[in-house]
Amino acid sequence: HGVMVEEYGGNVPIVPISSKTSYGLEQLIETILLQAEMMDLKVDASAPGEGLVIDSGVEKGKGLFSDILVSWGKFKTGDHCIVGTVSSRIKKIQNCEGKYADSVGPSEVIRILGFKELPKSGEDVIVVESESKANQIAKMRKALNSIRKSEEAQKVIDEKRRLDQELSKMKTPSRRKIKGKAAVTEEQYQEKVENVERLREEYKIKQEEKPKDPIFVPLIMKAANHGLLSALNFALESLPGRKEIVAQSIYSGVGPVTATDVERSAAAGNVPIFTFGLQNPVSNVRNVARALGVEIIRHDVIYRFQEEITSLLTGKLPLRILTVPLAKAEVLQIFNIKVKGSKSGMMVAGCKVTDGTIKASHAFRVLREGSIIHVQSSGARLQHFKDKVFEIKSGQECGIN
């Protein structure tokens, strides 16, 4: 990857560490400070703050919070900030020790309280000079997102029109004439017909090779914070068999299960609600879920969550009926045996068993040149010479009707 370490003449230092035993952490800090001094890295600690959202969630008694790594400037209580399309005023700041602080500088990890909506992990946080400025930026970003969505939708429509035009051109061309004279020569006409037929065959093959749409199993997910919610989404995407069946989250959010979540589940057909890292819902929510028949499944271990989802998906898969050949026989001759009271008589196939053992209880298929010409789902009558039998082994001859 083009990384040259100091041991091999490069300029990238290596520090062995262990987060379990804390080995090498002091050396790591010293190395970082030394590199910052050598590279003359400086930051304006008095400038408006900037940072990166690490995680966010809902804390009981405190409301919405967001954990932020400060990368530039200073965050102060009462500042107005913008995160994505959300503007907010910083009500309280907690440092990494959980203590409240009036202001924090660069390289600090802080928890900010006061957001109106939960920011997403990885979004930038920027402090602005006033509330009106924050609202203006948020409104502009929302408008920009709306324009981008419209452009994407237009691209989908244009692509569909292009495909429809290509398909309409795949009709066999007619040989038109202009004032009694052929518009194209016979060779050119035949060449166009062959090209269209070839394209049509290619299109048929592509359609046949196109995989069938998987079965979508809807569910709802709630987690304690965005980090856990991202882990749940990753767990869903890593489940095997996505070409056949897929667990689809129709709604996901951070925070405890509410009555609205239960109503949303009931409206979608009583889809299960999975929670992770949360306590049991309050009594009124449980009563609503019980009344509407909505199941709330709580988890704290990720692989248990995956096992539960796998079990849910397995139960939704359609049954597969496999036809297993038990025996084979070759028809040697057809006999028409007269039966009292029947004008047409009874058709009996004289056969020789070539593989396996044929039993009277088996279902039969009659094939001619690889094509099925007759299917008998119920048992047949077996006869060996004049005796009625219930099974015929390989190498023996019998009559089947």
Side-chain angles (χ1 to χ4, degrees):
H1 297 283
V3 178
M4 294 297 294
V5 298
E6 290 179 343
E7 295 180 2
Y8 296 95
N11 56 359
V12 180
I14 292 181
V15 181
I17 63 170
S18 171
S19 59
K20 185 176 181 180
T21 63
S22 300
Y23 171 79
L25 293 184
E26 291 184 3
Q27 185 183 355
L28 175 63
I29 295 174
E30 291 177 1
T31 304
I32 293 174
L33 294 176
L34 178 61
Q35 286 291 106
E37 185 177 352
M38 293 175 60
M39 298 172 67
D40 196 24
L41 298 179
K42 295 180 180 179
V43 63
D44 186 358
S46 61
E50 296 181 14
L52 185 71
V53 177
I54 302 174
D55 200 359
S56 56
V58 182
E59 193 172 354
K60 189 175 181 180
K62 296 181 179 178
L64 306 183
F65 71 86
S66 182
D67 294 333
I68 295 172
L69 173 63
V70 182
S71 58
W72 182 270
K74 181 182 290 187
F75 283 80
K76 297 179 294 183
T77 303
D79 281 347
H80 294 276
C81 63
I82 179 78
V83 186
T85 58
V86 180
S87 61
S88 182
R89 179 177 176 271
I90 301 175
K91 292 182 179 179
K92 293 182 179 180
I93 298 176
Q94 283 182 294
N95 58 22
C96 58
E97 297 178 355
K99 298 178 180 179
Y100 289 103
D102 294 329
S103 63
V104 289
S107 303
E108 293 282 347
V109 177
I110 60 174
R111 173 166 291 186
I112 292 179
L113 306 177
F115 284 101
K116 300 175 184 177
E117 298 178 21
L118 280 177
K120 296 180 181 179
S121 300
E123 288 188 323
D124 293 323
V125 185
I126 302 174
V127 173
V128 294
E129 58 268 20
S130 63
E131 184 179 4
S132 59
K133 186 70 173 179
N135 292 335
Q136 182 183 1
I137 296 174
K139 188 180 295 184
M140 291 175 62
R141 288 184 175 182
K142 288 179 181 178
L144 182 61
N145 288 344
S146 178
I147 293 172
R148 286 174 179 171
K149 289 181 180 179
S150 300
E151 290 177 350
E152 291 176 359
Q154 187 61 43
K155 288 180 181 179
V156 173
I157 295 172
D158 293 341
E159 180 66 15
K160 186 177 181 301
R161 287 176 178 171
R162 186 185 67 80
L163 292 174
D164 289 340
Q165 291 175 357
E166 288 184 4
L167 289 176
S168 64
K169 294 177 182 178
M170 291 176 65
K171 298 178 181 178
T172 304
S174 59
R175 191 182 179 197
R176 296 167 50 192
K177 292 186 177 182
I178 302 176
K179 294 183 180 181
K181 186 178 180 180
V184 294
T185 64
E186 183 68 28
E187 291 79 7
Q188 291 174 332
Y189 174 72
Q190 290 299 331
E191 184 181 355
K192 288 182 178 294
V193 171
E194 290 174 1
N195 288 339
V196 169
E197 292 299 329
R198 177 178 54 80
L199 291 172
R200 187 176 292 162
E201 288 299 322
E202 289 180 2
Y203 180 73
K204 285 182 180 179
I205 293 172
K206 289 180 180 180
Q207 289 293 102
E208 291 173 358
E209 292 178 350
K210 184 179 179 181
K212 296 181 180 179
D213 293 333
I215 301 171
F216 289 96
V217 179
L219 53 89
I220 292 174
M221 297 190 303
K222 297 298 290 287
N225 52 59
H226 270 299
L228 292 178
L229 196 60
S230 299
L232 295 184
N233 287 321
F234 179 78
L236 289 185
E237 293 175 359
S238 62
L239 289 175
R242 290 180 61 83
K243 292 183 178 180
E244 297 182 65
I245 189 166
V246 177
Q248 184 180 37
S249 175
I250 61 173
Y251 175 78
S252 60
V254 174
V257 178
T258 63
T260 304
D261 296 326
V262 176
E263 293 169 1
R264 185 181 286 112
S265 167
N270 286 27
V271 302
I273 300 176
F274 288 89
T275 70
F276 198 88
L278 296 172
Q279 299 296 325
N280 288 325
V282 294
S283 58
N284 64 325
V285 174
R286 293 200 303 269
N287 293 336
V288 173
R290 193 179 299 111
L292 296 178
V294 174
E295 186 178 11
I296 301 175
I297 305 170
R298 179 174 171 268
H299 283 284
D300 288 314
V301 182
I302 193 68
Y303 72 86
R304 295 290 186 193
F305 167 76
Q306 287 182 304
E307 290 176 355
E308 186 90 27
I309 296 295
T310 302
S311 176
L312 174 66
L313 298 183
T314 303
K316 299 290 184 179
L317 283 172
L319 294 176
R320 293 181 178 179
I321 300 176
L322 299 178
T323 302
V324 181
L326 303 174
K328 294 181 181 179
E330 182 182 358
V331 179
L332 303 177
Q333 192 173 350
I334 301 295
F335 302 95
N336 193 346
I337 300 176
K338 294 182 179 180
V339 180
K340 290 183 180 181
S342 176
K343 295 181 180 180
S344 60
M346 180 174 63
M347 301 295 292
V348 178
C351 304
K352 182 178 181 180
V353 182
T354 59
D355 184 30
T357 300
I358 294 180
K359 296 184 179 181
S361 59
H362 288 167
F364 292 85
R365 284 183 177 179
V366 182
L367 288 81
R368 179 183 296 160
E369 296 180 355
S371 300
I372 299 174
I373 61 175
H374 177 71
V375 177
Q376 185 168 322
S377 57
S378 58
R381 181 179 178 182
L382 301 180
Q383 192 164 338
H384 186 61
F385 296 107
K386 294 183 179 181
D387 300 326
K388 181 181 178 182
V389 294
F390 293 98
E391 67 176 34
I392 299 291
K393 296 182 179 180
S394 178
Q396 295 180 332
E397 295 180 358
C398 65
I400 302 177
N401 79 299

